[in-house]
Amino acid sequence: MSNNNSTVASSPKINDDIMRITQRVIRRSVKTREAYLNKIELARSQTVHRAELACGNLAHGFAACQSEEKQILKSMTRSDIAIISAYNDMLSAHRPYDNYPEQLKKSLLEAGAIGQVAAGVPAMCDGVTQGQDGMELSLLSRDVIAMSTAIGLSHNMFDGALYLGICDKIVPGLMIGALSFGHLPALFVPAGPMATGLPNKEKVRIRQLYVEGKVDRDALLEAESASYHSIGTCTFYGTANSNQMVMEVMGLHLPGSSFVQPDSPLRTALTDAAARQITRLTEQSGNYLPIGHLVDEKVIINGIVALLATGGSTNLTMHLVAIARAAGIMINWDDFSELSTIVPLICRIYPNGQADINQFQAAGGVSLLIRQLLSKGLLHEDVQTVAGTGLSRYTLEPWLNDGQLAWREGTKNTYDSSVIADINQPFSSHGGTKLLSGNLGRAVMKTSAIPEKNQIIEAPAIVFNNQNDIAPLFESGELNRDCIIVVRFQGPTANGMPELHKLMPPLGVLMDRGYKVALVTDGRLSGASGKVPSAIHVTPEAYKGGLLAKVINGDIIRVNALTGELSLLVDEQELAQRQSYQPDLSRERIGCGRELFGALRRHLSGAEEGACSIDF
């Protein structure tokens, strides 16, 4: 990538606390990182991998290529780039990828390289499966995507790879798969968000009215359809857009490419540029930069900082752990929570604000975010990126100069201070992700959208073993009181750790009625969690012996996000005499394909270890 004579921002010395935490992660990871780097060095070849293939293997590898492409591949001097695609035409975010392979192959050929679609990976939509049986396959799909990526790359035909994926489990799965082939250069190619539709605040209002029986299903469907209305990523700041934000700040996208809308001329130009840029990172280019070297401890810390500064998805507290481990880097929730005390919240994007991702882009976007964080030494500038050395390159933004892609200096000041604050006057001094701990275990709470007065609650527990049991009690009025809703047996090994957004409208209504309410669960909520204080990802999970399995109705629970406490206020002697409740989950593991994932589910690690089935 050329800077086109644009200047890039300089950055001061790294913040002492950021460096201290980074050094702690480096020390914690010494053995695992060394083992990983040794592994990818063994996988690296001094020649093109396909040169080591037998003639029959090689003939199969390019049998479907055109004559010109075969000659290039036979020469062994040009790069063969794998394309791993999560395209399907049901997901709005992935629908734009339909024509990307042909576009990328054309651009690669013009750059003297070959592109081959090496694999398609599954891409499911949590928005479709919320509250359905299929939601219990969602987290599991991340590991399936990682495995599918590895299978696609296992032909050893390739010198680098382009990855096409956006949404919740897809980018983390692609990243884990890419890091398993860490000796190959990698570049991730986004497709952009859909145009702004019905404002998110109005969508939530209609949802709550529907729960209260004040509007009918037709009105609800009309509102939802006006919100999710075209190709592109959903515009709220959930896991999909958090993925894109984090990937760009980690230097795995081209600068400024995350939030350019589909089908725009700039998006087309950026996609072509991605094809050209990957060829500059291969062994043949003389500028070899494999993803296993690019993603180091500093890059992982940068990803966490970006998540915290923007109030991103709680799912990333698991996905970044798994991604880091795939690179031999050991992080935990203490790192997230401590960084959150250092990194201010400077973005308000729904659900921690009213703006959508397009308004964030218009206010200054990722280039302004990075510029501000660098100015305070909150990001490591001295990192490798797919655009070259130094994160300051990402303070530039792409534009079309007489139809040609160029990069220019991004804005130094926000265009909308209600969306991106001046870092000297942040929305909050705290990054908005809090570690809670106590006798109930360890959990995560996203506090960025919760007023401080609602971050402390001590109330009786109402216990559920299935989220579907809550609606009847809500409708009957039995939940009209101060309470802490406990939804357990939703952890990784119990049922694959589904998201529980079905709970948010009724719990939001209870809060609007003036009751103090919180949620405690070993399940997930992701980036769409909003005003309801929710201690999620509780580990150890109930199914694996966590104290959640001993909670009964009426037990007093204290949730205090200000002090980081999650406690069951029951005498220890009484707890010792209680038996842990263990439900029969056999019926819930059959149907909708769930029976196919038993072995995978049984091997999932705890949430703080990334809820992963893969031995790194």
Side-chain angles (χ1 to χ4, degrees), residues 220-237:
L220 177 65
L221 183 57
E222 182 177 352
E224 297 285 359
S225 298
S227 180
Y228 309 116
H229 62 94
S230 68
I231 64 170
T233 314
C234 303
T235 59
F236 71 92
Y237 195 45

Side-chain angles (χ1 to χ4, degrees), residues 85-86 88 120-124 141 144-145 148 170:
S85 177
N88 66 47
V121 302
M124 64 181 293
S141 75
V144 172
I145 290 164
S148 300
I170 297 139

Side-chain angles (χ1 to χ4, degrees), residues 26-94:
I26 291 172
R27 289 192 300 272
R28 189 190 298 145
S29 309
V30 166
K31 292 183 179 179
T32 50
R33 181 64 174 169
E34 181 182 12
Y36 173 76
L37 292 175
N38 288 338
K39 180 185 75 172
I40 65 172
E41 183 60 31
L42 286 173
R44 177 187 178 186
S45 170
Q46 295 303 314
T47 60
V48 179
H49 272 83
R50 62 183 178 277
E52 299 178 357
L53 296 177
C55 291
N57 301 134
L58 189 57
H60 278 86
F62 58 53
C65 293
Q66 299 298 315
S67 177
E68 178 186 1
E69 296 169 334
K70 288 181 181 179
Q71 291 304 314
I72 291 173
L73 291 176
K74 285 179 182 178
S75 74
M76 304 298 170
T77 60
R78 305 287 185 88
S79 296
D80 188 13
I81 303 300
I83 299 169
I84 309 288
S85 177
Y87 164 75
N88 66 47
D89 64 6
M90 183 193 74
L91 271 66
S92 62
H94 292 78

Side-chain angles (χ1 to χ4, degrees), residues 1 3 6-11 248 255-256 364-375 379 381 390-398 407-412:
M1 186 195 98
N3 286 337
S6 295
T7 59
V8 294
S10 60
S11 58
E248 184 163 336
V366 181
S367 68
L368 178 59
L369 171 74
I370 291 175
R371 181 183 299 276
Q372 294 212 74
L373 293 172
L374 284 174
S375 74
L379 289 171
E381 199 281 332
L391 192 60
S392 295
R393 293 173 179 270
Y394 284 72
T395 64
L396 304 177
E397 62 179 16
W407 273 265
R408 62 189 175 190
E409 189 174 9
T411 181
K412 295 181 180 179

